[in-house]
């Protein structure tokens, strides 16, 4: 599984189709899909995948998840918080295995810090179910040791409380603001 920020799914749909035809990805979460009701499912369909959409508008935000058609899943509406730009929270049921939950979250760089409380509430609810929880997304914070920001400290505290492990341990986007 993977998660990408793409700033317009219709603009990049051919690249996404090639990516999914050339890889073994079963789940691909897309941030900043920029979909609305004018864009039909057929326009962004990919053979062999279901699309689960969370539209916002054509100028910003929104997202979707591509899920291989052979994966049995349910959308966990009971875990959603309107204040989070959360796609869908999905539970995967594999044969002869315990189900697990996948959450995607895109946090805009200028979001208020109170959003971390809503995010922690989602994690806490899944934690009470004693279910494996995989979180994909872009939280837009700086965790460089030299210039760690408050948002980084907030998310690291949540990770510590719930025994979460960060798999990406290097900057995924470097710009002039991030360079000391």
């Amino acid at each position: 599984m993977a998660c990408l920020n793409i700033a317009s799914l219709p603009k990049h749909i051919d690249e996404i189709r090639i990516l999914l035809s050339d890889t073994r990805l079963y789940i691909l979460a897309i941030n900043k899909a920029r979909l609305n009701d004018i864009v039909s499912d057929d326009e962004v369909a990919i053979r062999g995948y279901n699309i689960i959409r969370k539209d916002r508008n054509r100028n910003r935000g929104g997202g979707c998840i591509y899920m291989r058609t052979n994966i049995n899943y349910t959308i966990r509406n009971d875990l959603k918080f309107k204040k989070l730009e959360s796609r869908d929270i999905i539970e995967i049921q594999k044969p002869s295995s315990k189900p697990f939950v996948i959450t995607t979250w895109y946090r805009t760089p200028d979001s208020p810090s109170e959003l971390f409380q809503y995010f922690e509430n989602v994690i806490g609810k899944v934690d009470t179910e004693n279910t494996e929880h995989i979180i994909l997304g872009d939280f837009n914070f700086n965790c460089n040791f030299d210039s760690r920001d408050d948002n980084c400290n907030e998310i690291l505290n949540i990770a510590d409380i719930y025994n979460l492990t960060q798999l990406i341990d290097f900057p995924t986007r470097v710009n002039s603001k991030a360079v000391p």
Side-chain angles (χ1 to χ4, degrees):
M1 64 185 78
C3 183
L4 295 173
N5 288 353
I6 63 166
S8 181
L9 180 57
K11 183 178 172 184
H12 297 285
I13 189 61
D14 290 333
E15 295 164 85
I16 299 300
R17 286 180 177 133
I18 291 168
L19 170 73
L20 290 178
S21 71
D22 290 347
T23 65
R24 295 177 41 146
L25 283 175
Y26 285 81
I27 299 166
L28 176 62
I30 304 284
N31 291 324
K32 300 192 217 173
R34 297 182 179 170
L35 298 175
N36 63 10
D37 57 1
I38 295 172
V39 179
S40 72
D41 281 353
D42 289 342
E43 292 176 70
V44 291
I46 298 177
R47 186 179 305 129
Y49 289 85
N50 293 318
I51 185 170
I52 304 159
R53 293 171 55 160
K54 178 75 171 186
D55 294 358
R56 189 166 176 194
N57 65 53
R58 295 287 292 133
N59 297 320
R60 59 183 288 201
C64 64
I65 298 175
Y66 285 102
M67 180 95 52
R68 286 248 176 128
T69 54
N70 63 343
I71 295 176
N72 188 17
Y73 68 92
T74 3
I75 298 172
R76 294 288 306 269
N77 290 318
D78 60 310
L79 296 174
K80 287 185 180 183
F81 282 85
K82 287 184 180 182
K83 297 221 180 217
L84 291 177
E85 174 121 357
S86 178
R87 305 303 163 251
D88 286 298
I89 300 170
I90 296 170
E91 183 172 287
I92 307 288
Q93 298 94 21
K94 291 176 60 179
S96 306
S97 297
K98 192 175 176 185
F100 62 95
V101 172
I102 298 172
T103 299
T104 66
W105 183 36
Y106 174 75
R107 188 188 76 82
T108 59
D110 59 348
S111 295
S113 60
E114 71 184 24
L115 286 188
F116 286 108
Q117 182 61 49
Y118 296 110
F119 184 62
E120 184 176 358
N121 289 341
V122 170
I123 294 170
K125 283 185 175 184
V126 174
D127 188 62
T128 62
E129 297 175 5
N130 196 25
T131 302
E132 183 179 359
H133 191 185
I134 299 166
I135 303 166
L136 305 170
D138 181 354
F139 302 161
N140 279 305
F141 57 79
N142 182 358
C143 268
N144 281 339
F145 288 103
D146 299 341
S147 57
R148 187 172 280 179
D149 66 21
D150 290 339
N151 293 320
C152 176
N153 292 330
E154 189 79 36
I155 201 73
L156 290 176
N157 286 336
I158 293 170
D160 187 47
I161 290 167
Y162 293 99
N163 198 28
L164 300 172
T165 304
Q166 170 68 32
L167 297 179
I168 308 296
D169 60 358
F170 56 89
T172 57
R173 180 171 183 234
V174 178
N175 59 31
S176 59
K177 290 181 183 179
V179 178

